[in-house]
């Protein structure tokens, strides 16, 4: 029988870690609708910025081919939401999804490890995120 740990088992193993519940959204073009991408992209990006400013969007962006030269057509974003229902509502409101140009898969995700470095330089008023 394959090992299939439960959520409770993993949470117990990760006591003391962040255990932040997020939702990862994988998005792909709907075949035959690619001709609409350019027309819908400005509304999609405006939607993403609204989510970001509301605190619901942690990160978002496209996937590249392995050589980094071309867009694969796929994208991903990470949402902060009170539950899957709220996350799904945010996804459904995205113009790409609402207009049938892209489809998505929603996956709950627990963020435990990682880090973020923010450098603010007062002398030249620059910022860097790594």
């Amino acid at each position: 029988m394959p090992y299939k740990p439960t959520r409770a088992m993993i949470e117990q193993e990760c006591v003391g870690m962040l255990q932040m519940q997020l939702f990862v959204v994988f998005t792909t073009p709907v075949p035959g609708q690619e001709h609409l991408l350019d027309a819908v992209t400005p509304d999609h990006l405006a939607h993403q910025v609204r989510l970001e400013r509301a605190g619901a969007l942690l990160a978002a962006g496209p996937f590249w081919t392995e050589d980094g030269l071309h867009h694969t057509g796929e994208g991903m974003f990470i949402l902060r939401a009170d539950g899957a229902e709220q996350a799904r509502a945010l996804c459904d409101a995205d113009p790409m999804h609402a207009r049938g140009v892209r489809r998505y898969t929603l996956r709950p995700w627990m963020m435990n490890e990682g880090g973020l470095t923010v450098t603010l330089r007062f002398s030249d008023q620059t910022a860097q995120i790594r």
Side-chain angles (χ1 to χ4, degrees):
M1 180 177 207
Y3 177 65
K4 195 170 184 178
T6 65
R7 180 183 184 120
M9 291 167 64
I10 291 175
E11 287 174 347
Q12 182 59 39
E13 290 172 352
C14 299
V15 168
M17 293 184 175
L18 185 59
Q19 294 192 21
M20 179 182 287
Q21 177 63 63
L22 298 168
F23 295 87
V24 178
V25 182
F26 299 96
T27 180
T28 57
V30 172
Q33 300 301 311
E34 295 88 351
H35 65 283
L36 298 172
L37 285 169
D38 287 341
V40 181
T41 294
D43 292 339
H44 160 72
L45 294 175
H47 174 76
Q48 296 289 73
V49 170
R50 282 191 300 276
L51 291 179
E52 177 189 59
R53 291 187 178 159
L57 182 65
L58 176 64
F63 284 113
W64 306 115
T65 53
E66 191 171 330
D67 62 12
L69 298 178
H70 302 281
H71 181 228
T72 66
E74 301 168 321
M76 184 185 90
F77 52 99
I78 302 173
L79 296 172
R80 296 178 188 99
D82 291 332
E85 187 175 316
Q86 182 186 30
R88 188 164 300 285
L90 295 173
C91 292
D92 290 344
D94 185 319
M96 287 287 188
H97 304 139
R99 296 180 195 166
V101 179
R102 298 180 72 80
R103 67 180 71 144
Y104 68 89
T105 303
L106 177 69
R107 297 284 305 272
W109 177 56
M110 184 172 68
M111 182 170 59
N112 280 332
E113 309 93 10
L116 178 69
T117 302
V118 178
T119 303
L120 301 174
R121 291 193 178 89
F122 302 126
S123 62
D124 60 4
Q125 300 177 45
T126 60
Q128 182 180 30
I129 301 172
R130 291 190 274 166

